[in-house]
Amino acid sequence: MKIGAWPILSIGFAVGLIFWAFGYFQKWVPNLETAEKMNAAAIAYEAEAAKHDSAHKKYETARAIVLEKSAAWQEYVSKKTPSGDLGSGGINLGVSSWQLVNDVPKFTDSIQRAVNSQSRVGGVKVLNGLEVPSPGTDSKRVLSDYFNYPALPYPVVMWNLGTITVEGTYEQIKANAAAWSEMPNYLAMSDGLQIQGVAPKLQGTYNVVLVGYIRGRTIFPAVLEGGTGTGANQQGGTGGGKPMRGN
Amino acid sequence: MKLNLLPTSVGRESKGRFATFVAIAIAGAGIFSFFYQNSNSERFIEEQTARKDRAVKQAEDAVKYVAAANQILQDNRGVILNANLAEAMSKHSVVYPNLYDEVKGYVPAWFRVTSMNATAGGADATVVRIQGVIKTQEQYADLMLAFLRMPNVVNVTRNGFVYDNPRVPAISTADQVGRRKKVGDPTIPDDPLDRLELQIASATSTGFTGAGNFGLTNTTQRGAMPGWANVTVDILIRKNIQSPDPIPAVLSTGGMWPKVDFAAGAAPATTGAPAAPKTNTPGGGN
């Protein structure tokens, strides 16, 4: 049986169409859709990836800031914190609260001496001095009340010492107020300087804030003592009351 | 006229061969298109996937870097805050003395200053209040110009000067000329004897009055001399003298320092001096 030209062409066309259609509908269209989705995802990720350099820079900046601040802080720690030795005007918190309550008044005296000495800088006459608050005598509260520990994660003494009035020349008063930033062993700040009077005996009045970060690696745990201990000074947990194993 | 002497089957066979050839070609083209579409579309996917994968890695790194940067800052907030606070406190004590030095340079020589203070009015405003003594109305005017010479001055306000210069009054029965006198003072009469009586009556004190605390041996602040005036000048300057607030700042670091490590029965660890900063590197490197 002979097949005509048109049927042959039709068969060829049909076969070709089948393959084309299969390729188009089964491969081309879905694959292009997938590729388009990948493209969209790539664009979105590339937008984020474009921030890679700035993110890395931010990371490096954060590291640099922390290292810089840490170095600066170590500088302050070495110059602006009291020593860990009671004899040299500092305080050692690695002793029991029973001992600490005896040591803190001596430490307070040392601070008061430092404040008094600082108050006279510049050659002024102090008309109204600053008084460091007295510590309590409750061994259970001395750490929390005086050193703000463990309310803060490190012990620190800080007071607004109030207003001081000094008498002197303009230059003396100016030097006196500015010198608080140079106070050894403590971070101190004068604020709100007012000057009045008739030269050469002027009067300068300003406010002083004192912060003393306590240096040290150990704090003795809360002691076992009856009475009304607060939650704050029970921070020692299971270690409370036991003698230190080392300092 | 030409005659076709070939049999009719000859023409059909050649058409059939041609049709077969064309049919095979069409079918081949279809098959080719199938493979073309298949391979190319898969190549597209591979390309875009590879592109996305590259971007994903970089994007993930970027996210890790940002997260690590935030974590570093968070972990070391205590150190950063305390260092910033210490720096701010150290710098602040000289702020007021320096401000007064700056203002002092613009105080005119004839303005006797008795008090000077400053108040922070925000991040960009400071009011310096100067109280002092001047003599004349002209000085009161010049005072404003003197302080407006200062850089960053926004405005200057003044008060306190009492205008009591002699004025020419209206004619009255006793004074037919209109003799100059201070407002509130009695009329200066025409009659010389009456004027003499007026002069005598105006003498109210004969002893030491200590006006403005002058003449005293103590160090009490001197005020205005007779005929002078106490004035107050407020200078608004575009400057920041706000002070750090150490105690709330330190209190806000609660929990941000490396934690005290309480071992059972042992003394806690680090206090006071901060530990070295934690610096974790994304990707495991350091």
Side-chain angles (χ1 to χ4, degrees):
Chain A
M1 171 186 159
K2 293 265 183 187
I3 302 175
W6 284 113
I8 291 171
L9 283 172
S10 299
I11 291 168
F13 182 77
V15 170
L17 186 65
I18 287 167
F19 274 96
W20 176 86
F22 184 72
Y24 185 78
F25 291 109
Q26 286 294 317
K27 299 290 181 182
W28 183 260
V29 171
N31 282 357
L32 280 193
E33 274 179 17
T34 305
E36 188 54 42
K37 283 177 185 168
M38 288 295 172
N39 180 45
I43 288 170
Y45 279 114
E46 279 169 352
E48 291 302 308
K51 298 171 188 168
H52 181 273
D53 287 348
S54 62
H56 185 259
K57 194 175 173 185
K58 182 179 178 182
Y59 169 73
E60 293 294 340
T61 305
R63 276 177 63 108
I65 287 171
V66 168
L67 291 173
E68 180 196 339
K69 294 296 178 188
S70 179
W73 177 244
Q74 292 300 342
E75 188 76 9
Y76 285 114
V77 167
S78 65
K79 292 179 180 171
K80 295 285 187 182
T81 55
S83 76
D85 176 34
L86 192 65
S88 60
I91 185 75
N92 176 17
L93 298 186
V95 298
S96 73
S97 296
W98 297 305
Q99 180 60 43
L100 191 62
V101 83
N102 292 337
D103 291 349
V104 169
K106 296 171 189 166
F107 176 53
T108 305
D109 285 346
S110 298
I111 300 173
Q112 185 67 61
R113 270 192 288 273
V115 168
N116 290 348
S117 170
Q118 191 64 38
S119 300
R120 292 190 299 267
V121 168
V124 296
K125 179 181 177 185
V126 179
L127 302 183
N128 177 35
L130 301 167
E131 186 175 349
V132 177
S134 296
T137 55
D138 187 346
S139 57
K140 299 187 297 300
R141 300 183 62 92
V142 64
L143 208 52
S144 58
D145 288 359
Y146 203 73
F147 295 98
N148 299 289
Y149 184 84
L152 289 175
Y154 45 88
V156 56
V157 291
M158 48 189 178
W159 301 288
N160 185 342
L161 292 178
T163 303
I164 179 173
T165 304
V166 297
E167 184 182 84
T169 64
Y170 175 77
E171 293 300 329
Q172 285 175 327
I173 291 172
K174 207 178 65 167
N176 178 263
W180 284 94
S181 61
E182 304 298 325
M183 183 178 182
N185 300 329
Y186 296 92
L187 272 170
M189 180 186 80
S190 67
D191 184 38
L193 173 65
Q194 298 179 26
I195 299 175
Q196 58 185 2
V198 178
K201 281 192 175 177
L202 299 170
Q203 289 184 6
T205 305
Y206 55 86
N207 196 61
V208 174
V209 177
L210 185 92
V211 177
Y213 292 91
I214 306 302
R215 233 189 289 183
R217 294 281 163 190
T218 55
I219 296 178
F220 200 91
V223 293
L224 281 181
E225 185 178 346
T228 55
T230 64
N233 58 29
Q234 300 302 319
Q235 179 81 17
T238 56
K242 290 187 179 178
M244 291 174 63
R245 291 199 295 223
N247 192 355
Chain B
M1 174 178 169
K2 289 182 180 176
L3 290 175
N4 183 4
L5 300 177
L6 290 171
T8 55
S9 61
V10 173
R12 284 198 191 112
E13 280 177 9
S14 66
K15 276 184 183 173
R17 279 198 298 275
F18 179 72
T20 304
F21 176 76
V22 171
I24 290 170
I26 291 170
I31 293 166
F32 175 77
S33 77
F34 166 75
F35 285 110
Y36 176 84
Q37 290 178 117
N38 185 34
S39 64
N40 269 301
S41 62
E42 284 183 354
R43 184 170 57 81
F44 290 157
I45 290 175
E46 283 168 12
E47 283 175 1
Q48 298 304 330
T49 305
R51 194 177 135 215
K52 188 203 77 173
D53 289 345
R54 279 195 305 273
V56 163
K57 174 140 188 5
Q58 281 207 316
E60 283 176 352
D61 277 355
V63 170
K64 280 181 189 169
Y65 275 126
V66 171
N70 291 337
Q71 193 62 44
I72 286 171
L73 293 175
Q74 181 63 31
D75 287 347
N76 295 285
R77 264 186 76 195
V79 175
I80 293 170
L81 197 145
N82 278 295
N84 286 345
L85 175 66
E87 189 181 353
M89 285 180 72
S90 295
K91 284 181 178 171
H92 187 72
S93 292
V94 297
V95 166
Y96 279 79
N98 288 348
L99 173 66
Y100 294 155
D101 269 353
E102 192 182 329
V103 174
K104 204 165 141 269
Y106 294 91
V107 175
W110 36 261
F111 182 37
R112 183 162 57 80
V113 176
T114 56
S115 127
M116 196 187 290
N117 65 65
T119 313
D124 201 24
T126 296
V127 177
V128 177
R129 171 165 287 186
I130 303 177
Q131 291 176 315
V133 178
I134 57 171
K135 187 176 184 182
T136 66
Q137 203 170 316
E138 275 310 312
Q139 288 174 346
Y140 197 43
D142 291 346
L143 209 50
M144 304 294 279
L145 300 176
F147 288 118
L148 281 171
R149 289 179 302 153
M150 278 179 64
N152 298 322
V153 166
V154 179
N155 67 52
V156 180
T157 55
R158 59 179 187 169
N159 66 71
F161 191 85
V162 180
Y163 291 91
D164 63 347
N165 288 342
R167 304 284 304 279
V168 176
I171 289 174
S172 63
T173 312
D175 176 17
Q176 288 295 305
V177 179
R179 291 181 173 79
R180 274 165 59 90
K181 67 178 186 65
K182 288 185 178 177
V183 179
D185 281 359
T187 302
I188 302 172
D190 293 332
D191 182 39
L193 288 177
D194 288 347
R195 281 209 298 277
L196 180 61
E197 288 298 326
L198 183 67
Q199 290 286 334
I200 292 168
S202 68
T204 53
S205 67
T206 55
F208 172 65
T209 59
N213 294 324
F214 284 96
L216 302 177
T217 54
N218 59 25
T219 57
T220 308
Q221 182 176 311
R222 273 34 171 176
M225 291 178 282
W228 289 51
N230 279 310
V231 296
T232 300
V233 182
D234 286 336
I235 309 164
L236 178 59
I237 306 172
R238 198 175 289 113
K239 190 180 184 76
N240 185 5
I241 62 163
Q242 284 180 308
S243 64
D245 204 352
I247 293 173
V250 172
L251 289 174
S252 75
T253 64
M256 292 195 296
W257 211 263
K259 299 281 187 184
V260 175
D261 181 19
F262 286 91
T270 313
T271 60
K278 296 171 185 174
T279 50
N280 301 320
T281 308
N286 201 2

